[in-house]
Each structure stands twice: as C-alpha cells, then as structure tokens.
Amino acid sequence: MEPETKTPLENFVELYSQIKDKFEQLPSVLTKLSSYSDNIVKENKELKVKIKELEEKSTEVEKLTKEATDYKRQLESVENQMKGLREMYEEMTQERSKDLEIQELLAIYTVLFEKVFAANPHTKILLLLQGVDKEIWTRDELVKTTNFTPAAIIKALHDLRNNDIVELDESAQEVKLIQKKE
C-alpha cells in the first residue's frame, strides 16, 4: 500500500496534538527562564559591585602596606640611632661609675687610714717596717717611735706574726718584715 499523503494542515494538527501538552507548559517555563535570567543579571551586578569594592579595598590595603613599610623603615632607623645613643650612654655611665667607684673607694680608704688604722699600732709598725731601709727593729725602738705602750706593741707584733706578716725572735725583742712591697 501506498503511504497516504497528508496535507500540511493535517501534519500541523498531528504535530500540534503531540506537543500540545508540552506547549501549554511553555509559558511557565518561559516565565521561570525569564526569572532565572533576571536573577543572573542581578547577581552579576552584585558581583561587579563587590569586585569594585574589593579592588578599592585592595588598593587601600596596598597603600596602608606601603605606609606601614615606610613607618617600619623609619622606626628601624630611629631604633638604630637609639641603639648607638644607648651604647654611648652605657659606656659613659660605666666609665663614670668606675670613676665614682674609685673615688668613693679612695675616700673610704682615706677615712679608714686617717681615722682608724693610723691610730692603730699595727698600721704604724707596718708603715715603719715598710718605709724605712732598716730591716730589723727592736721592740723598744718601735715603742719610742710610735708612742704606743709596750703592751700594745707586743700585742700588735704577735697579731702581725700570727698572720705571717712579720718575723719575731723568741723573746719578741726584734722584728723583721717578711716581705717588703716594692
């Protein structure tokens, strides 16, 4: 049999009946498509605004970073200068401290020597034995030269002997300095 030939109108009607249900859904699909497209356009605009804001913030951050780097360099320069000043100050302070310590120490020694030790028979005996070229002194010579009592001289001589500073004979009549300071 020969295939029947349909008229264009019949073809249209047949095709229309096949897609009629789907065609009725087309307005809903088009509405959703339009809404979806509008959302994409809106989201695209929002993203462009955010990108612009982020670019501005990025530029600001770069500017702040540059300023921070400049401030850091300036701070390091000031710190280096301060380090030099600090070192100079510490050196001056140490030198002055040494000078003050020596002066204070000398003042203490002077007071001790003038007020305490010079009045002490031990000191006067040592000064005599150290300062004079005479090696051996008698106890009587020490009594007459220092103006201390014989008992004070004997006690001082025994103290000096016990500390290995002088040599005494058995009768404690003669004394000799063990080692003279040159």
Side-chain angles (χ1 to χ4, degrees):
M1 284 213 253
E2 258 184 49
E4 284 182 36
T5 37
K6 295 185 184 175
T7 66
L9 185 57
E10 288 173 335
N11 281 335
F12 176 78
V13 169
E14 185 180 317
L15 186 61
Y16 177 76
S17 64
Q18 289 174 5
I19 61 167
K20 177 180 158 192
D21 291 335
K22 293 184 181 185
F23 187 71
E24 288 174 359
Q25 295 174 0
L26 188 62
S28 169
V29 168
L30 288 175
T31 303
K32 289 178 182 176
L33 181 63
S34 174
S35 174
Y36 180 74
S37 174
D38 289 344
N39 286 340
I40 289 177
V41 168
K42 181 180 174 185
E43 190 176 315
N44 190 22
K45 286 180 182 178
E46 290 173 357
L47 288 174
K48 285 182 180 179
V49 168
K50 286 183 180 180
I51 287 173
K52 188 174 181 179
E53 289 174 0
L54 289 174
E55 286 174 346
E56 289 172 357
K57 287 181 180 179
S58 174
T59 304
E60 188 176 329
V61 166
E62 288 174 7
K63 181 181 173 185
L64 290 173
T65 302
K66 184 180 177 190
E67 287 178 12
T69 303
D70 290 343
Y71 287 135
K72 183 178 179 184
R73 265 191 242 120
Q74 291 174 0
L75 179 63
E76 287 172 353
S77 173
V78 169
E79 285 177 345
N80 287 336
Q81 292 173 359
M82 291 301 292
K83 182 180 178 185
L85 289 174
R86 188 178 320 115
E87 288 171 358
M88 240 180 3
Y89 174 76
E90 287 174 359
E91 287 174 14
M92 288 173 44
T93 302
Q94 287 176 352
E95 287 178 21
R96 182 169 177 153
S97 176
K98 287 177 186 175
D99 290 344
L100 288 176
E101 288 174 8
I102 291 170
Q103 289 175 351
E104 291 170 356
L105 193 57
L106 285 174
I108 290 170
Y109 284 144
T110 302
V111 168
L112 284 173
F113 188 75
E114 289 175 352
K115 304 291 183 189
V116 178
F117 297 128
N120 184 320
H122 299 76
T123 305
K124 286 199 175 183
I125 292 171
L126 281 174
L127 288 173
L128 278 173
L129 294 173
Q130 180 69 33
V132 180
D133 285 337
K134 187 174 179 178
E135 272 195 45
I136 299 175
W137 286 71
T138 65
R139 187 177 68 210
D140 291 334
E141 288 173 329
L142 292 174
V143 170
K144 290 176 186 172
T145 307
T146 61
N147 290 327
F148 284 104
T149 64
I153 295 294
I154 290 174
K155 181 186 180 320
L157 289 173
H158 284 154
D159 288 344
L160 293 170
R161 182 201 62 203
N162 292 341
N163 287 293
D164 296 326
I165 298 172
V166 297
E167 290 179 1
L168 274 179
D169 66 352
E170 293 299 320
S171 62
Q173 291 296 317
E174 292 182 342
V175 64
K176 176 183 174 187
L177 190 61
I178 290 178
Q179 184 179 7
K180 269 193 168 186
K181 301 290 179 185
E182 299 285 328

